Amino acid sequence: MTPDHTQSELRRLPGVDAFVQRPEAAAWEAAYGRGPVVEALREVLDAVRADILSGGAYPGDEVLAERVAERLATLAAPTLVPVINAAGVVLHTNLGRAPLSAAVLEAMRGAGQGYSNLEYDLEAGQRGSRYVHAEALLCRLTGAEAALLVNNNAGAVLLALSALARGRGVIISRGQLVEIGGGFRIPEVMAQSGARLVEVGTTNRTYVRDYAAAIDDDTAALMRVHTSNYRIRGFTAQPELAEMVALAREHDLLVIDDLGSGTLLDTARYGLAHEPTVQESVAGGADLVTFSGDKLLGGPQAGIIVGKAEHVARLRRFPLTRALRVDKTTIAGIQTNLLHYLKGEAEREIPVWRMISAPAEEIGARAEVLLARLGGAGAGCEIIPGTSVVGGGSLPDEGLPTRLIAVPGPAETLAEALRRGRPAVVGRIEDGRLLLDLRTVLPEDEEPLVVRLRDLLEG
Ligand SMILES: *Cc1c(COP(=O)(O)O)cnc(C)c1O
């Protein structure tokens, strides 16, 4: 292209002021504000100018407008988007763990919308504590003397070790040196807390006498960690909590019990292995029990610590607590979620328990209705028996019998298309087939799922 031509192309570039007079600019400004519109326009103009200087032509005002619109849409697009979980993993950590009940969402909305007595004592008219809020309910449900909410269970464990065992020994079985997803590893958390890890026993077998032999003047606590996401099978032994508690009492030591998921309901009722409940740990004499708010409890993300009042009081005063504190919306959500347990309606109201308790026949019936709604598009789909899992680092060996929709066609390609569309759909691939498990699909997500599947299978 000749220099003359380049110059004439450059002259066709509109000025920013002229361009924002275009009719679509008013809508952009209303949606994004003037600053981002002008900035997007400048960036697009700069790119076009550079292109002309390297021999390109001016693409025209219409194309320019399209590029500005695209840039603005990208800028404003949320990175967090809804996903339909058809993978059959109830507590899918990558997909945000527990979906919340309607009442919990309403409580969180209420707490977020206005002011509250978060840290204000309305009777006394003076500063109060945010740490009192869910305590009475937690104590009532678990039998503990005291309770404390923090940001998540990783924070709860770090806090307990930092506040109560810093600079001293904490004895733990070699079979319980867990790594949870996301880089939470017990030995590293221990190091971070300043406590000294004293590992005893072997990977498969640890006895209470192993703990006893390791106790010295410097020991602060015995710790038990639930091996959430793995099982050691075969020739194995781990001491009962009661034995650890008895030993700790003799030596005036603490027992810290990290339950991981922590459940208030007995998972054995649903044909699963029995997960230790929080009530059992408290009754068994653990001084502090830590667990998550958003695993089997089925509420918003939080770490929950329950136990003896004197130890919880020390945690409350410890400076790290301030760095791990929970938001008002979380407190409202946890409190309302706990009420579902108090009222005996957890299985009906809390989505994760509704999903866990759903029988395979019910899921099969939903699958049939869904295929009927797909009509001709679903012709090649089949309903087959399969297994859902609880996930979230709990019950690794356990499955819940389910019915799966097997989608015909190239599994990887189909799965990718489902992931990339909106709302995104995540299924799972087994034996080269794309499988969809309605156990984890919320009832209100069935219609959008039908639409996505119809597009996929007809397209
Ligand atoms: C999941 C888990 C944690 C971490 O809990 P978060 O709430 O995810 O921070 C800690 N310990 C155990 C044993 C767990 O299973």
Side-chain angles (χ1 to χ4, degrees):
M1 208 160 285
T2 64
D4 274 2
H5 189 82
T6 301
Q7 284 309 319
S8 74
E9 288 299 297
L10 283 176
R11 273 194 295 275
R12 295 176 64 197
L13 279 177
V16 169
D17 290 341
F19 207 83
V20 294
Q21 300 305 320
R22 288 176 65 88
E24 56 266 66
W28 295 339
E29 273 192 47
Y32 307 106
R34 188 176 175 85
V37 171
V38 170
E39 198 170 316
L41 180 54
R42 287 222 170 91
E43 285 164 5
V44 169
L45 286 171
D46 285 349
V48 171
R49 190 174 297 112
D51 187 49
I52 294 174
L53 287 172
S54 56
Y58 178 63
D61 288 2
E62 294 309 316
V63 172
L64 219 64
E66 266 168 40
R67 290 189 193 165
V68 173
E70 262 168 39
R71 209 165 257 265
L72 287 167
T74 310
L75 170 77
T79 57
L80 188 66
V81 298
V83 171
I84 296 175
N85 174 9
V89 181
V90 177
L91 294 168
H92 200 307
T93 298
N94 301 151
L95 303 183
R97 286 196 187 152
L100 304 174
S101 81
V104 166
L105 288 171
E106 182 53 27
M108 293 177 82
R109 196 193 63 80
Q113 187 182 36
Y115 299 100
S116 62
N117 63 336
L118 179 65
E119 288 185 358
Y120 191 67
D121 183 335
L122 290 169
E123 311 268 303
Q126 63 192 28
R127 188 188 171 136
S129 166
R130 80 169 57 213
Y131 300 114
V132 302
H133 292 292
E135 187 172 30
L137 262 179
L138 278 167
C139 290
R140 193 177 166 125
L141 289 166
T142 66
E145 291 172 11
L148 177 64
L149 286 184
V150 292
N151 180 61
N152 58 9
N153 188 34
V157 174
L158 178 65
L159 174 62
L161 291 170
S162 306
L164 305 178
R166 191 157 42 167
R168 301 179 62 201
V170 175
I171 306 175
I172 182 170
S173 161
R174 288 198 168 90
Q176 297 176 2
L177 297 174
V178 184
E179 172 177 321
I180 309 298
F184 179 89
R185 309 172 100 188
I186 288 293
E188 287 167 18
V189 173
M190 195 81 84
Q192 183 74 45
S193 75
R196 186 165 49 82
L197 171 71
V198 180
E199 40 182 289
V200 296
T202 60
T203 304
N204 58 324
R205 289 175 84 88
T206 303
Y207 307 96
V208 74
R209 63 170 186 267
D210 295 321
Y211 296 77
I215 293 173
D216 61 23
D217 291 347
D218 211 29
T219 307
L222 311 184
M223 185 169 189
R224 184 174 80 155
V225 178
H226 186 40
T227 61
S228 305
N229 48 12
Y230 67 97
R231 287 279 178 276
I232 297 175
R233 260 184 307 266
F235 189 58
T236 66
Q238 296 291 332
E240 293 293 326
L241 181 65
E243 297 176 85
M244 292 176 65
V245 168
L247 177 66
R249 291 291 164 271
E250 266 175 54
H251 297 269
D252 203 19
L253 303 173
L254 296 176
V255 172
I256 300 172
D257 192 16
D258 177 17
L259 282 182
S261 178
T263 175
L264 297 174
L265 297 184
D266 182 2
T267 46
R269 292 215 311 240
Y270 308 100
L272 298 165
H274 174 74
E275 275 280 292
T277 66
V278 182
Q279 302 90 302
E280 284 162 5
S281 284
V282 171
D287 294 284
L288 288 175
V289 184
T290 64
F291 54 103
S292 291
D294 55 346
K295 290 186 181 171
L296 281 172
L297 213 64
Q301 179 190 305
I304 302 177
I305 305 171
V306 299
K308 306 270 164 66
E310 58 169 311
H311 308 308
V312 173
R314 278 175 69 193
L315 298 189
R316 229 172 248 158
R317 289 193 300 269
F318 194 71
L320 181 61
T321 304
R322 172 63 178 79
L324 296 170
R325 79 181 189 184
V326 278
D327 176 59
K328 58 187 180 244
T329 55
T330 303
I331 294 173
I334 289 283
Q335 196 155 261
T336 303
N337 197 55
L338 290 171
L339 271 179
H340 288 315
Y341 290 95
L342 188 77
K343 295 198 242 167
E345 61 182 26
E347 192 181 293
R348 193 176 74 235
E349 297 296 330
I350 299 179
V352 300
W353 286 111
R354 222 163 41 217
M355 290 174 183
I356 290 170
S357 62
E361 299 68 41
E362 181 187 313
I363 297 161
R366 284 174 66 194
E368 275 170 32
V369 171
L370 190 136
L371 288 194
R373 286 165 71 190
L374 273 179
C381 292
E382 240 189 294
I383 299 176
I384 60 169
T387 312
S388 326
V389 295
V390 174
S394 53
L395 300 157
D397 278 349
E398 303 288 318
L400 295 159
T402 192
R403 298 285 180 273
L404 303 162
I405 299 175
V407 184
E412 295 287 351
T413 312
L414 293 168
E416 184 184 347
L418 284 178
R419 282 197 317 270
R420 295 178 75 115
R422 293 293 180 266
V425 177
V426 174
R428 70 171 194 263
I429 295 173
E430 261 171 39
D431 301 327
R433 286 220 274 188
L434 174 64
L435 303 174
L436 304 174
D437 187 345
L438 295 185
R439 180 185 299 279
T440 50
V441 174
L442 298 167
E444 58 269 33
D445 281 342
E446 279 184 20
E447 178 56 31
L449 179 60
V450 167
V451 172
R452 288 292 328 273
L453 286 175
R454 200 180 284 139
D455 285 353
L456 178 78
L457 298 170
E458 281 173 349

